[in-house]
């Protein structure tokens, strides 16, 4: 209390000097008023001074962000006229072929948006194309992060959030194109109901709960609407906000290069350069999506007609991002279904429908932790890796893409059989074989290519760049002269981490007394994993190896020069001797 009182008296005797407010305009006054009540100036200054590196591959994530914003903007427009109801009505709109046809209010409002509302069809097209590009950009962004090792510490949580965003975006898209209640989307909803029914033990209960009774019921469109418009967008925006915040907290990754280390970021600040470039890029993406939507029709629901449970659209296909799940269903043999304890287990449907998507994304989510356990590397990594410097990871990613492509192609086995005049059974058998053999072949080929590229870099560091200049020695030998790399070029080729295969004893380590510990089961498992990942590694060149290589090259050059000088002396002496004789 005495300290407080004394301080108070001191302030009374020596009052703080009065600081006149800076002469600023209305904007400055408003900003000062807001900062005095929110304290946001510090955060705003930090955000505006944030540095982002400049590389074309980072723009893929921006495309995903801008596509999501476009979906939100157009979605608000469509919400104003869409009626999420399965109540029966008769169409009396502008589209003559369907006039007088009985349909649901959801389908009726979709047709009204397409033909009666000015700009409605364009908005529908923009919304659908932006959704497709959104999912595609997320997947490409995830591939870039995976192949360059951007998921390593401290970004494991952000990788998990990104995978969750990708998976949720797929469900959001499925619910979105199911809302019009046309024959194509209704066929997809009917297939989804079958997927739910295939869930062991609880499948019928799940279907009854979601549809509010037997299929099709009258609740599925209103429930999908609530999820599509409210719940899932809120989750997407929330996860995306956390994703961006973590990017700002961890600082952005960057490719190795001159002046770039784990402790800095080389690029442009948010204001004014990066904000201007990002803003311009947003309008470029928006303009291209609008142009695409205006020129290319997608999902013409008026051509399909209203959904009737007794009808199925011939040759119906889901949107491309759901194709791999549809393909898995077509490749699963029907013999996988069996009866046990008086219950039918539809293993010819369940693994390819409800189990496949969370299983694939679950594997992707746990991979950073698996690689961290294998390498034992607990350092922070802010520099990206060239994909060929992680051969096994790159091979595994290529194998995963191969699986995805095979499943995606299988979704069109019927159309391929019709258009190409082939047997659908032969196509299915071929794709089943490719599902198992294709990833193995691709993994081995990609790994071999990556190791070859590592070996090329090692030779380039040790002996320099091939100049294309051929040199002939006095004794008649020919060799290609090499140009030495600059220190910046050389550093790019040797800066990546060097992991090696470990024995079980090396993994186990020593106890507190310095005695070797007996390897446990997990130690042996990790040792085997290190051999799988790093057995065929090409170690980066060390300074000692580089010095030895340069010494050998200088010695060889000096020897060649000495030989050339000696040959020249001999030639001169021969000429003088000839002149004396003459």
């Amino acid at each position: 209390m005495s300290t407080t009182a004394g301080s108070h008296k001191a302030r009374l005797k020596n009052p703080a000097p009065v600081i006149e407010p800076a002469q600023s305009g209305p904007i400055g006054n408003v900003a000062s008023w807001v900062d005095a009540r929110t304290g946001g100036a510090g955060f705003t200054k930090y955000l505006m001074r944030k540095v982002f590196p400049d590389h074309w591959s980072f723009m893929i994530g921006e495309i995903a962000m801008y596509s999501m914003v476009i979906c939100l903007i157009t979605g608000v427009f469509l919400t104003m006229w869409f009626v999420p109801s399965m109540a029966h009505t008769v169409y009396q709109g502008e589209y003559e072929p369907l006039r007088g046809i009985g349909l649901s209010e959801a389908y009726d409002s979709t047709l009204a948006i397409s033909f009666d509302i000015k700009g409605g069809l364009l908005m529908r097209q923009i919304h659908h194309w932006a959704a497709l590009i959104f999912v595609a950009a997320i997947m490409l962004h995830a591939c870039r992060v995976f192949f360059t090792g951007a998921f390593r510490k401290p970004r494991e949580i952000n990788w998990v959030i990104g995978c969750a965003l990708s998976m949720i975006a797929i469900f959001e898209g499925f619910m979105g194109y199911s809302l019009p209640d046309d024959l194509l989307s209704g066929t997809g909803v009917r297939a989804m109901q079958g997927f739910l029914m295939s869930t062991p033990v609880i499948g019928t209960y799940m279907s009854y709960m979601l549809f509010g009774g037997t299929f099709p019921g009258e609740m599925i469109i209103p429930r999908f609407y609530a999820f599509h418009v409210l719940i899932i967008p809120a989750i997407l925006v929330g996860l995306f906000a956390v994703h961006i915040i973590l990017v700002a907290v961890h600082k952005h990754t960057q490719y190795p290069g001159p002046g770039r280390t784990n402790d800095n970021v080389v690029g442009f600040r948010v204001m004014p350069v990066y904000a201007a470039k990002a803003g311009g890029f947003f309008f470029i993406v928006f303009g291209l999506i609008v142009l695409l939507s205006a020129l290319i029709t997608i999902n013409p629901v008026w051509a399909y007609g209203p959904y009737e449970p007794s009808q199925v659209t011939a040759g119906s296909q889901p949107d491309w991002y759901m194709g791999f799940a549809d393909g898995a269903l077509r490749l699963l043999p029907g013999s996988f279904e069996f009866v046990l304890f008086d219950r039918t287990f539809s293993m010819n449907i369940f693994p390819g429908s409800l189990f496949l998507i969370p299983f694939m994304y679950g594997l992707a989510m746990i991979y950073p932790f698996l690689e961290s356990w294998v390498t034992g590397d607990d350092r922070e990594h802010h520099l990206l890796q060239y994909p060929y410097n992680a051969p096994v990871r790159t091979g595994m990613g290529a194998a995963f893409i191969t699986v995805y492509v095979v499943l995606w192609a299988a979704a069109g086995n019927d159309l391929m059989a019709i258009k190409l005049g082939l047997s659908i059974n032969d196509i299915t058998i071929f794709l089943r074989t490719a599902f198992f053999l294709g990833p193995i072949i691709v993994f081995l080929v990609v790994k071999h290519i990556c190791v070859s590229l590592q070996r090329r870099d090692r030779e380039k560091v040790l002996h320099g760049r091939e100049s294309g200049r051929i040199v002939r020695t006095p004794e008649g030998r020919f060799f290609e002269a090499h140009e030495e790399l600059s220190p910046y070029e050389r550093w790019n080729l040797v800066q990546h981490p060097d992991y090696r295969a470990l024995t079980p004893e090396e993994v186990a380590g020593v106890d507190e007394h310095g005695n070797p510990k007996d390897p446990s089961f997990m130690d042996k498992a990790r040792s085997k994993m290190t051999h799988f990942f790093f057995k065929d590694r090409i170690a980066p060149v060390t300074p000692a190896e580089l010095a030895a290589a340069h010494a050998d090259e200088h010695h060889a050059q000096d020897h060649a020069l000495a030989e050339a000088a000696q040959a020249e002396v001999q030639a001169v002496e021969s000429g003088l001797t000839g002149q004396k004789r003459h």
Side-chain angles (χ1 to χ4, degrees), residues 411-474:
N413 61 350
D414 54 340
L415 296 180
M416 286 189 287
I418 294 172
K419 299 298 183 181
L420 301 177
L422 300 176
S423 168
I424 190 172
N425 293 328
D426 293 341
I427 294 175
T428 302
I429 292 173
F430 171 79
L431 292 174
R432 285 175 181 170
T433 305
F435 176 83
F436 291 102
L437 296 183
I440 298 174
I441 296 173
V442 170
F443 171 80
L444 295 176
V445 171
V446 170
K447 179 185 174 183
H448 178 74
I449 293 174
C450 291
V451 173
S452 299
L453 292 174
Q454 285 185 313
R455 189 177 292 110
R456 178 208 61 181
D457 283 357
R458 181 177 176 84
E459 291 297 318
K460 187 184 294 185
V461 172
L462 288 174
H463 305 295
R465 183 188 298 106
E466 296 179 356
S467 65
R469 182 167 53 88
I470 305 300
V471 178
R472 182 179 183 273
T473 63

Side-chain angles (χ1 to χ4, degrees), residues 44-287:
T44 304
K45 181 179 179 180
Y46 166 79
L47 184 62
M48 294 297 101
R49 293 175 60 85
K50 191 71 178 174
V51 177
F52 286 89
D54 193 33
H55 193 272
W56 68 265
S57 64
F58 301 147
M59 299 171 70
I60 300 175
E62 295 183 27
I63 293 174
M65 177 176 67
Y66 300 151
S67 301
M68 185 181 72
V69 172
I70 295 170
C71 283
L72 293 174
I73 295 173
T74 55
V76 171
F77 177 90
L78 297 176
T79 303
M80 296 178 181
W81 283 279
F82 182 73
V83 180
S85 172
M86 299 184 71
H88 186 76
T89 186
V90 177
Y91 181 68
Q92 299 295 337
E94 295 294 327
Y95 189 62
E96 184 66 29
L98 291 178
R99 190 171 296 171
I101 301 294
L103 35 69
S104 66
E105 291 185 351
Y107 188 50
D108 182 69
S109 62
T110 303
L111 294 175
I113 293 173
S114 302
F115 296 108
D116 302 334
I117 306 300
K118 291 183 178 181
L121 179 57
L122 180 61
M123 283 294 178
R124 280 193 59 242
Q125 298 277 107
I126 294 174
H127 190 75
H128 203 132
W129 275 114
L132 298 182
I133 294 174
F134 174 52
V135 179
I138 289 180
M139 291 184 176
L140 290 176
H141 178 66
C143 288
R144 197 274 302 172
V145 171
F146 179 83
F147 286 115
T148 58
F151 55 79
R152 294 172 296 172
K153 183 182 178 181
R155 297 175 179 82
E156 300 96 334
I157 296 177
N158 225 8
W159 167 260
V160 173
I161 292 175
C163 291
L165 277 168
S166 180
M167 182 173 63
I168 295 173
I170 290 178
F171 296 137
E172 171 77 343
F174 171 76
M175 292 183 183
Y177 75 67
S178 299
L179 289 179
D181 199 32
D182 59 286
L183 185 56
L184 179 61
S185 66
T187 302
V189 174
R190 181 65 181 90
M192 185 270 293
Q193 192 258 352
F195 302 159
L196 289 177
M197 295 282 287
S198 70
T199 306
V201 182
I202 61 172
T204 53
Y205 304 103
M206 292 173 61
S207 174
Y208 190 88
M209 253 182 3
L210 180 62
F211 286 87
T214 57
F215 180 86
E218 295 185 355
M219 299 299 298
I220 190 62
I221 296 299
R223 289 178 177 177
F224 271 10
Y225 181 78
F227 275 95
H228 182 74
V229 174
L230 297 175
I231 300 175
I232 296 184
I235 296 174
L236 286 174
V237 172
L239 289 177
F240 181 78
V242 175
H243 188 76
I244 295 298
I245 290 172
L246 288 178
V247 169
V249 169
H250 295 148
K251 75 183 181 182
H252 207 292
T253 56
Q254 58 185 343
Y255 287 94
R260 299 172 184 175
T261 68
N262 272 316
D263 301 322
N264 68 355
V265 178
V266 178
F268 299 101
R269 297 190 185 277
V270 171
M271 290 295 293
V273 177
Y274 189 80
K277 294 175 67 176
F281 188 50
F282 168 75
F283 288 107
I284 291 175
V285 173
F286 205 156

Side-chain angles (χ1 to χ4, degrees), residues 3 8 31 60 100 125 176 183 266 270 303 307 313 351 364 368 400-401 459 509 541 544:
T3 303
H8 180 65
I60 300 175
Q125 298 277 107
L183 185 56
V266 178
V270 171
Y307 176 66
T313 304
F400 181 85
I401 293 175
E459 291 297 318
V541 177

Side-chain angles (χ1 to χ4, degrees), residues 273-340:
V273 177
Y274 189 80
K277 294 175 67 176
F281 188 50
F282 168 75
F283 288 107
I284 291 175
V285 173
F286 205 156
L288 289 177
I289 290 178
V290 172
L291 181 64
L292 187 67
S293 304
L295 297 178
I296 303 177
T297 301
I298 189 171
N299 197 24
V301 294
W302 54 88
Y304 307 136
Y307 176 66
E308 292 290 341
S310 60
Q311 300 178 6
V312 176
T313 304
S316 60
Q317 302 287 326
D319 274 350
W320 70 266
Y321 49 82
M322 293 295 293
F324 75 102
D326 191 8
L329 290 171
R330 301 186 185 207
L331 294 186
L332 282 168
S335 58
F336 279 15
E337 182 176 286
F338 60 91
V339 178
L340 184 65

Side-chain angles (χ1 to χ4, degrees), residues 364-387:
M365 289 178 183
I366 66 175
Y367 181 82
F369 306 98
L370 172 64
E371 184 172 308
S372 176
W373 173 70
V374 171
T375 61
D377 189 354
D378 196 44
R379 298 170 297 176
E380 290 192 1
H381 295 276
H382 303 291
L383 286 179
L384 300 173
Q385 288 180 291
Y386 297 118

